[in-house]
Amino acid sequence: MNLTRRGALLSAAAAAASTTLAACATGGGGDNEGAGKGDVSAENPLGVPADAGLEVVIFKGGYGDQYAIDAGTRLKEKHPKVAIDHKGIQGVGEVLQPRFVADSPPDVVDNSGAGRLDLATLVSAGKLKDLTELLDAPAVDDPGKKVRDTLMPGVIEDGTFDGKPLVLNYSSVLWGVWYSKSLFAKHGWTFPKTWEEMLTLNDEIKKAGLAPWTWQGKYPEYLNDPLLSMAAKAGGVEAVKAIDNLEAGAWQQPAVVAAAEAIHQLAVRGHILPGSEGLSHTEAQNAWCKGQVAFIPCGSWLEGEQQQVTPAGFDMVMATVPALTSSDKLPNGAVMAASSESFLVPAKAKNPQGGLEFLRYLFSKQVARGFAESAKALPVVTGATDGLTLTSGLGSVAEAVKAAGPNVFSYKFRTWYAPLSKAVDDATGELATKRINPQQWAERVQKAADAVAKDSSIVKHKR
Amino acid sequence: MRHGKYRFLVGALIVPLALYGVFVLSPYLQAFQLAFTNWNGVDSAPEFTGLDNFGRLWSDPLFLAGLRHNGLMLLVVPLAVIAIALALAAATKGTRVYRVVYFFPQLLSVAIIAVLWQFVYTPNSGLLNGALSAVGLDSWRRSWLAEPDLALWCVMIVLIWSSVGFYVVLFSAAMESVPEDIVEAAAIDGAGPVTVFRRITLPLIWESVQVGWIYLGIAALDGFALVQIMTVGPGGPDNSTEVMGLGLYRTAFAFGKFGYASAMGVAIFFLTLSIAVLLLRVTKRERVELA
């Protein structure tokens, strides 16, 4: 065991060692000879140099990397002399950390997966290129439109730091509450519109011998999603911004405390499967897939994650979190959505224009469609799944996107302030086990938010 | 001749020494250097921040929680492991089968041990709750790793379980070197088994026990892998199983504060070193020379 701790120390320090060595090798970094910009034309709006290399590093996880290979193939059709070096890897952070330190990064990075680099850190260190040029370039399939107009609402904002778009996410993730359509049809239940109805339905479900709710107790953030969704719906965009901007008392706004109260009620009324607080995500989700539980909160990846264990005819669907009150500020279809699979072009890339051009092809309808088919997830390009036959889960997610329209919201504090994120997770775990009440929850989280606001070593962002 | 010998030795050792220097010594030294900076992991030129990072440690509730929990583990784990291992070694004297069985956990990697025990503790289909129900103790069922008062103890039990086997073997081997005639002489003089153990066996194997104290003391200051894999959060519920190693890992890789994490590493390094020296002093006894 001693070895393991030392291992962690060593790898941290070894990364430091290799980076320092690398930095020395390039003479302190920053003198990276770039390929510059080629001639700009309608055919080549971003001015990609004709025969430069293009190094692409893709996280090869649950979504695979076929879609990125496709994007490369399409780019080659237009720029046959560009030599693409495609790398599909895991542990993106380990591989790329020394290269960012030495300022010799690749030209495009998919910074995703468990071992990704901390985005807020990359941003505050000024390691990322501004993507405005790409967003204003014409879209590949429809040159009449700019790239920015082909993306779903919220996607550009998701990757915007202090007014600068630095990251573009590829896969759209929605958060909601999942249930089995066939199970609900069998019992004649319908998904509730308000939280009050949810609690009433829960009592009914309990009488039928099922546990109404479970959650992935080992990772309390799963239960934060419905809590924060309700807070946003009741309190509106202002409430979300207040939280993200670390405003005083933001977590003690009535809407936020009421949302905590709503989740607390699940525990108080015994609507949660006993033992849920000790279950891993797999255990909780499997209990739900076995039909022991009616509802589980999760993001839109659930269907893909559970495909090995989902019984035939289970027909899982995701519904948006019910309204907290009848006077919510956001309409009922409003949904918490964010995007994942973060694509970025490093500021010190050798071929930055090539990097942007790669992303232009990646975010084209044709490549995105291939992604929906191969990765079973929703790409952020609007209309990419039109006409495709979707599975019940992915179909419900696509419908939720349509129903929400512009009413899509997301919180930034999770990416911006990891320590606050941890404090919220801890507090919600305690709330769901009734060890603290909603007021104590709000107080604790507010204290953590104030501590982050005061900490001068944490770079602050505004939205 | 002599010169030739040294030249040969240096030649043979240069590769391992260089590897040791690059992969062990240099990272350690660099961690010491980084502890005085605000390095965020990707910056090319971190700022020197003096003793700031070390000042922060003493007001960081997570680090202090880790310190408290490692402290408790330091009190409980070595004592429990040594007591159990001595008892088992004495009880199974001469029967090799048991020793092999006790040694099994040592063959498993920490990650596998943690995952196995997670299945033991899991609330609804876990082995522990299942066993309790089977003997009619339904009221004893718990969400073992999800209750703040129990979680750390559950982790310590795994730590003890996985360590005992090695010390049973170590102590058994030491006990075998205790001369049979001394034990017999004591028995003839009327000493019972407990007295023989306390007055004869234990003093004669004390050096092994002393080694045990130090190794276990170091292990008790760690616990990172078990906590990271098994516990809620990890480190929870509500930081009730937070250990210093986990805090270090999180500070570096989740919070992006490599400089501060290095300061934690340096603090843990000196703490471990002091505890080892202290244990060595406290457990020092007069050495018994066997003729």
Side-chain angles (χ1 to χ4, degrees), chain A residues 269-328:
Chain A
R269 301 192 187 194
H271 289 170
I272 299 178
L273 175 77
S276 291
E277 69 278 7
L279 298 182
S280 69
H281 62 297
T282 329
E283 289 169 326
Q285 288 163 195
N286 288 355
W288 172 77
C289 265
K290 281 183 198 148
Q292 298 167 355
V293 190
F295 297 114
I296 191 163
C298 197
S300 49
W301 62 83
L302 183 66
E303 187 180 38
E305 193 171 29
Q306 292 299 101
Q307 56 185 344
Q308 303 296 328
V309 292
T310 310
F314 187 74
D315 286 345
M316 64 169 80
V317 286
M318 193 197 82
T320 48
V321 178
L324 181 57
T325 64
S326 51
S327 56
D328 277 7

Side-chain angles (χ1 to χ4, degrees), chain B residues 89 92-96 99 176:
Chain B
T92 60
K93 217 169 159 190
T95 42
R96 279 177 181 277
R99 267 182 240 161
E176 263 162 32

Side-chain angles (χ1 to χ4, degrees), chain B residues 132-133 136-142:
Chain B
L132 287 172
S133 288
L137 290 171
D138 277 297
S139 60
W140 288 28
R141 289 171 67 108
R142 291 279 181 283

